[in-house]
Amino acid sequence: MKLKVCGMKYVENIRQVAELQPDYLGFIFYEKSKRNFEGIIPEIPKGIKKTGVFVNEYVEILVSLAEEYKLEALQLHGDESVAYIKELKEYLEQSRKEKRLSKVEIIKVFGIKDEFDFSILKPYEDVVDYFLFDTKGKERGGNGVTFDWKVLEGYNSTKPFFLSGGIGLQEVEKVQQILKTDLPVYALDVNSKFEKEPGLKSIKDLKKFKKIVYDK
């Protein structure tokens, strides 16, 4: 199972988190977010996928940022339709042909609170690489609360997914329980529960989490 640390913002902190070798590092390109990323991404190990998080962004702007930052994954956190994603993929393919980008993964986010109609995922299955399930709240992510993971018992797709929403050290036992199920949990996505302030991650807490959950 992979680990994604999202909401990165500060150069030195990015370097420190990268030393822990997560599989994905997330950078939020959304002006309304407290973790909105601007500036430079320092050199990080090749095995870590730089992930851009976007909310209902114009396709041209999104692709331009993907090229600028050499993103390897795109997380769509808004109300992006299947048609939008198809258009995005056409742009990405053109960019790849012109060697401005390499292969880019597409992650589509869905917010869950107390219940969820999983049938709405069906049209997306052929156009995305992964789903991501986050807690539905007033913010577009980073709310710091978990949703009821029992809802995922109704998940009827084989598409692997990222599990997100308020995952911290206190959720370790819950994480270990869900990993014993047959659900195709591809990655855990952590953010606000590991922060000293928005965008600044606690290396000590991340190390502890990684050791308990991943270093078996």
Side-chain angles (χ1 to χ4, degrees), residues 137-176:
K138 61 180 174 118
E139 303 287 339
R140 292 276 190 174
N143 289 288
V145 287
T146 56
F147 63 90
D148 183 359
W149 292 355
K150 276 193 167 46
V151 174
L152 293 171
E153 289 171 8
Y155 186 66
N156 53 6
S157 169
T158 55
K159 180 73 70 179
F161 63 84
F162 287 67
L163 183 58
S164 187
I167 297 173
L169 286 166
Q170 291 175 316
E171 281 67 46
V172 164
E173 202 173 311
K174 277 178 73 183
V175 165
Q176 289 168 335

Side-chain angles (χ1 to χ4, degrees), residues 77-140:
H77 223 295
D79 311 300
E80 297 86 2
S81 65
V82 171
Y84 173 98
I85 297 171
K86 283 180 177 174
E87 184 186 359
L88 172 61
K89 288 178 85 165
E90 284 173 14
Y91 272 80
L92 292 172
E93 181 57 27
Q94 188 59 37
S95 195
R96 196 177 67 79
K97 280 179 182 169
E98 293 168 8
K99 299 195 169 10
R100 295 198 302 271
L101 274 176
S102 53
K103 188 179 184 306
V104 179
E105 296 175 355
I106 295 179
I107 305 160
K108 180 67 187 89
V109 179
F110 293 91
I112 297 178
K113 200 169 184 187
D114 303 319
E115 55 186 15
F116 188 75
D117 177 8
F118 288 102
S119 68
I120 68 172
L121 304 178
K122 189 75 180 157
Y124 288 89
E125 287 191 344
D126 294 336
V127 294
V128 304
D129 295 286
Y130 305 101
F131 294 128
L132 184 151
F133 298 123
D134 196 3
T135 306
K136 198 171 193 172
K138 61 180 174 118
E139 303 287 339
R140 292 276 190 174

